[in-house]
Amino acid sequence: MIQLSAAGKRYGHKLLFEGVDWLITNHDRVGLVGANGTGKSTLLKILAEMETLDYGALSTAKGISAGYLPQDGLALSGRSVFAECMSVFSKLRAMEQEMEDLTGRMSELDHASPDYSQVAERYQRIEHEFRARDGYAIEAQVGSVLMGLGFSKEDWQRQTEEFSGGWQMRIALAKLLLQKPNLLLLDEPTNHLDLEARNWLEEYLTSYPYTFILISHDRYFLDVTVNKIVEIWNKRIYFYPGNYEKYLAQKTQRREQLDAAYRNQRERIEQLEVFINRFRYQATKAKQVQSRIKELGKIERIELPEEEKTIHFSFPQPKASGRIVAEFDGVAKSYGEKEVFHGVNFMIERGDRIALVGVNGAGKSTLIKLLANEEDLTQGEYKLGHNVQADYFAQDQYKELDQDSRILDDLGRVSPQSRETELRSLLGCFLFSGDDVFKRIGVLSGGERNRYALLRMLLHPANFLLLDEPTNHLDMRAKDVLLEALSKYTGTVVFVSHDRYFIDNLATRVFEIGEGRVEVYPGNYEDYRWRKEGGAARLQENTQLAVASAPTNGNKPAGSDAVESKAKRLNPIKRKQMEERVRELEQEINRTETAITEHETSLQSFVSAEETARLTQALETHRAALKTSVTEWEKLAAALQD
């Protein structure tokens, strides 16, 4: 399909990669990873033939259509959203117009004339191709993709220039997905998507009929969409079968192998050098010395790349608040005639880590602003608890910073007890390295300033953090530092994030916002999805049915006499053992269900981070045990009835 041979690329004196040999085949699903600055985006542009190689060759088979989505920078105007998306089907629409013209001509011609036969034959050929290319469903396809990416039907007729940069990128993504190029190249496609749109895109890519290569800092997204990881590392590329989780395990093994090979090579080089230096001037050893000099010259030296150090920083902990941190009682919020919330009641307790989820426009940011007292309630009461100090991180938090201060100086004032090396390490993790630390805040981009504002907040946290999309503009390394800091944080957190991995590893409760209401779910996002998809209800229904229909002593199992006669064919001793096991399983199921309910209730009240982790682990163990017990019970019950 596409092949890179001995490919290399430079930017000035900096070598990004070299010696790249990569055959991209049909139906590859590739995640392209590597540290910042290694050339991931450049490699995508080369595959899209938007940039050229400095070394090697790129070979492309005939008929390859590449579609490339950059991280940002696209701007569309002059058409409605729907018309912009329909423009990708220009050939099909031209065919549709010709079919209409041919239909009109046929209505005017004599059916017995040769002209009619020619027109009818032309119409038949075009209509067959139009149907084969699913031309009758293009409007439905556009609607489906736009809905999946978060555009309401009211948005479809709005002009594209009315939308912000993030929504413009969604329109560009929609067009690419509708085009269905046989090589889809996506650079950070989830940057501008909320959770619901990401979930939809995951499902869409799972059934995508052609090859795609994507760059993403979202671990969960990579785990569920790709089947191969290609890493740019040490100026080479390495291939790992499987998803991102498997890649991490394989990468550790590969690094250990490289370290071992490096040590062995160094030992051999030292042995050769010692021998050469010792016997260089002895005539009797001249032949051996020359042999070793030749061997030394042929050795291709193994280079160990400079590894990004894992940052572990002890962020200061806040003063403890009271047990009740915040409480909403009958809260309503409206903007003019638009009602965002009505009749909202909930309580936030010390140590809660609450993820706010919901579609765009549901009111997640509004709820955080209400909790931060950035906006007034329309109705109801909001109570802050004893000794609660709230700190609010907005999506445009950078506006609060001193624009004239240099980054390192400003951070030093925030954390005077920290050494400069520690501050530089943290800044490097948040993508400020080298001379960047001496830049003035005012010259940074919006994303850079937001990253810095988040780091600044972590160095002096209050005991009630309200974070609106703190993971935006962060790579995986920075997200790991943020996740570690918040996991050890002893205060209370309410946050909005579109990163599944981040939410699953941080949240202890989920608040779903929609239709003016706030619904509270225990556990993380995975637990929330399980409940929303009916997992809890199905499990309860299955176990109730199982217990209700289970055979017991003194009672005939439900069914006809024929079924009963079949059951009697079992060995009496074996049958008795199976019936006893069924009764044991029924008791186990009841005990496990009770334990699950108790643990879910306990999780709603915070005691400590350690206790929350213990309860979460115990809850998962009980759910797994319940599933195993129900499965065994079903098999035994079926065997007793056969």
Side-chain angles (χ1 to χ4, degrees):
M1 186 176 178
I2 292 182
Q3 185 167 11
L4 288 168
S5 303
K9 181 67 178 179
R10 283 185 175 277
Y11 269 126
H13 296 294
K14 182 179 181 182
L15 176 66
L16 294 179
F17 49 80
E18 64 180 350
V20 171
D21 295 310
W22 182 9
L23 177 63
I24 302 167
T25 60
N26 288 328
H27 307 297
D28 274 353
R29 283 148 161 67
V30 180
L32 185 58
V33 303
N36 285 294
T38 54
K40 300 187 298 295
S41 295
T42 300
L43 184 52
L44 275 196
K45 291 176 183 176
I46 289 169
L47 293 172
E49 299 189 26
M50 298 174 65
E51 290 205 18
T52 57
L53 291 167
D54 292 320
Y55 316 104
L58 170 67
S59 304
T60 304
K62 288 183 178 180
I64 295 299
S65 59
Y68 170 69
L69 181 78
Q71 291 186 33
D72 49 40
L74 296 181
L76 303 166
S77 62
R79 285 190 281 215
S80 69
V81 171
F82 196 85
E84 186 68 41
C85 290
M86 285 291 288
S87 68
V88 307
F89 299 113
S90 56
K91 291 183 179 179
L92 280 173
R93 298 185 76 185
M95 292 171 64
E96 186 177 27
Q97 182 60 51
E98 185 176 359
M99 286 164 56
E100 289 182 10
D101 295 341
L102 291 171
T103 301
R105 289 182 61 190
M106 284 190 293
S107 66
E108 298 170 356
L109 293 171
D110 182 356
H111 288 199
S113 68
D115 288 344
Y116 180 88
S117 297
Q118 290 179 354
V119 172
E121 184 180 349
R122 172 69 178 166
Y123 177 88
Q124 189 175 11
R125 287 201 308 269
I126 294 176
E127 200 274 341
H128 177 74
E129 183 181 355
F130 187 77
R131 186 183 297 275
R133 293 170 63 178
D134 214 10
Y136 290 109
I138 56 176
E139 291 190 357
Q141 289 179 44
V142 170
S144 175
V145 170
L146 287 176
M147 291 292 283
L149 292 177
F151 291 91
S152 66
K153 286 190 176 181
E154 292 75 19
D155 291 331
W156 296 1
Q157 300 308 319
R158 290 174 57 192
Q159 295 296 297
T160 55
E161 57 266 30
E162 296 178 27
F163 291 87
S164 65
W167 284 94
Q168 292 256 354
M169 295 305 296
R170 290 199 195 201
I171 299 170
L173 176 59
K175 291 177 65 178
L176 263 186
L177 298 180
L178 289 165
Q179 286 172 353
K180 291 186 180 175
N182 45 30
L183 178 60
L184 183 61
L185 305 166
L186 305 176
D187 195 348
E188 296 285 358
T190 59
N191 267 2
H192 307 288
L193 303 182
D194 58 18
L195 272 171
E196 289 70 24
R198 288 186 188 206
N199 293 338
W200 178 86
L201 183 58
E202 288 164 9
E203 294 179 7
Y204 186 94
L205 291 178
T206 300
S207 58
Y208 192 72
Y210 307 114
T211 297
F212 64 78
I213 302 172
L214 58 88
I215 299 170
S216 177
H217 291 311
D218 188 324
R219 293 189 185 190
Y220 184 88
F221 185 75
L222 286 172
D223 272 339
V224 299
T225 55
V226 306
N227 57 22
K228 181 190 292 183
I229 295 291
V230 174
E231 180 188 33
I232 304 178
W233 183 60
N234 199 20
K235 301 178 181 63
R236 302 276 180 170
I237 69 169
Y238 298 87
F239 302 93
Y240 299 85
N243 61 13
Y244 189 81
E245 184 179 3
K246 292 180 180 177
Y247 147 76
L248 289 176
Q250 294 174 69
K251 178 178 169 62
T252 300
Q253 295 173 357
R254 178 166 282 178
R255 177 68 199 213
E256 291 171 352
Q257 292 170 357
L258 184 65
D259 287 342
Y262 177 79
R263 288 194 300 271
N264 292 336
Q265 188 183 78
R266 289 305 310 164
E267 289 175 5
R268 181 57 182 161
I269 290 171
E270 288 172 7
Q271 290 171 1
L272 294 172
E273 289 176 342
V274 167
F275 186 91
I276 292 167
N277 292 333
R278 183 176 180 183
F279 299 110
R280 181 185 295 274
Y281 302 108
Q282 293 187 20
T284 57
K285 298 288 186 179
K287 188 174 182 179
Q288 293 94 320
V289 168
Q290 287 301 315
S291 174
R292 283 162 174 75
I293 289 174
K294 287 181 181 179
E295 181 183 348
L296 190 62
K298 290 179 180 178
I299 292 176
E300 186 176 345
R301 306 299 174 102
I302 296 172
E303 292 185 16
L304 289 181
E306 184 178 345
E307 286 290 289
E308 291 184 315
K309 296 178 181 179
T310 302
I311 305 296
H312 297 286
F313 188 84
S314 297
F315 292 100
Q317 295 298 334
K319 295 180 181 179
S321 67
R323 185 179 69 85
I324 305 301
V325 173
E327 186 174 1
F328 268 27
D329 184 8
V331 167
K333 176 63 179 178
S334 299
Y335 295 100
E337 296 183 357
K338 182 180 179 182
E339 184 179 63
V340 183
F341 298 115
H342 62 269
V344 172
N345 301 285
F346 60 73
M347 183 182 293
I348 298 173
E349 299 188 21
R350 184 180 62 242
D352 272 343
R353 294 164 187 164
I354 297 169
L356 306 184
V357 304
V359 299
N360 267 320
K364 300 186 293 294
S365 294
T366 299
L367 181 56
I368 281 198
K369 288 177 181 177
L370 294 176
L371 289 168
N373 280 319
E374 293 285 318
E375 301 229 358
D376 297 326
L377 306 181
T378 303
Q379 187 178 327
E381 186 177 9
Y382 169 34
K383 302 175 186 175
L384 268 181
H386 180 65
N387 281 338
V388 174
Q389 295 176 325
D391 204 349
Y392 169 53
F393 177 83
Q395 293 185 39
D396 57 355
Q397 187 65 30
Y398 61 83
K399 293 179 180 178
E400 305 298 322
L401 301 174
D402 180 358
Q403 306 298 305
D404 295 325
S405 291
R406 298 193 308 176
I407 295 175
L408 189 60
D409 297 339
D410 184 67
L411 202 62
R413 286 193 292 270
V414 174
S415 183
Q417 75 280 5
S418 300
R419 296 190 300 273
E420 182 177 322
T421 53
E422 290 179 312
L423 296 178
R424 277 179 168 271
S425 294
L426 276 172
L427 285 167
C429 177
F430 280 72
L431 308 183
F432 298 104
S433 58
D435 292 338
D436 289 344
V437 302
F438 300 114
K439 286 183 177 178
R440 298 199 180 277
I441 294 171
V443 305
L444 303 178
S445 69
E448 288 173 330
R449 281 182 280 183
N450 255 19
R451 285 204 306 272
Y452 175 68
L454 179 62
L455 172 58
R456 198 174 186 272
M457 173 184 280
L458 292 175
L459 288 172
H460 65 99
N463 56 23
F464 185 30
L465 292 182
L466 302 162
L467 309 176
D468 194 356
E469 300 195 20
T471 52
N472 275 7
H473 311 292
L474 301 185
D475 66 358
M476 289 187 190
R477 188 166 176 246
K479 286 179 186 177
D480 286 344
V481 173
L482 176 61
L483 182 58
E484 182 181 14
L486 293 178
S487 297
K488 294 178 179 179
Y489 172 67
T490 56
T492 306
V493 186
V494 178
F495 67 99
V496 177
S497 174
H498 298 152
D499 188 295
R500 264 292 288 275
Y501 180 85
F502 187 84
I503 300 174
D504 277 338
N505 284 274
L506 183 62
T508 57
R509 288 202 288 167
V510 171
F511 283 14
E512 181 191 46
I513 302 170
E515 299 180 355
R517 310 292 299 175
V518 177
E519 298 291 336
V520 179
Y521 294 83
N524 61 14
Y525 189 77
E526 185 176 353
D527 297 323
Y528 156 75
R529 286 289 298 270
W530 181 73
R531 291 178 176 279
K532 288 291 289 183
E533 292 167 2
R538 286 196 302 274
L539 191 57
Q540 184 177 7
E541 182 181 348
N542 289 339
T543 52
Q544 287 175 347
L545 287 172
V547 172
S549 60
T552 57
N553 279 349
N555 294 319
K556 182 183 287 189
S560 64
D561 291 338
V563 173
E564 182 176 358
S565 65
K566 288 181 181 178
K568 290 179 180 177
R569 295 175 192 169
L570 287 169
N571 180 299
I573 297 176
K574 180 67 174 175
R575 187 169 186 272
K576 184 177 180 181
Q577 291 173 343
M578 291 170 68
E579 289 175 344
E580 288 177 354
R581 180 56 182 158
V582 165
R583 287 193 294 274
E584 291 173 1
L585 286 169
E586 290 167 6
Q587 294 171 0
E588 287 178 16
I589 288 169
N590 286 331
R591 286 195 299 269
T592 307
E593 284 186 317
T594 301
I596 287 173
T597 302
E598 290 174 353
H599 280 74
E600 287 178 342
T601 302
S602 299
L603 273 172
Q604 297 182 31
S605 301
F606 181 84
V607 176
S608 68
E610 292 76 15
E611 180 65 2
T612 298
R614 188 191 69 80
L615 288 171
T616 301
Q617 181 62 47
L619 184 59
E620 292 175 356
T621 302
H622 285 311
R623 285 175 178 163
L626 180 59
K627 184 177 181 180
T628 302
S629 297
V630 170
T631 301
E632 185 182 355
W633 182 92
E634 289 173 344
K635 290 180 180 178
L636 288 173
L640 285 168
Q641 291 182 349
D642 287 340

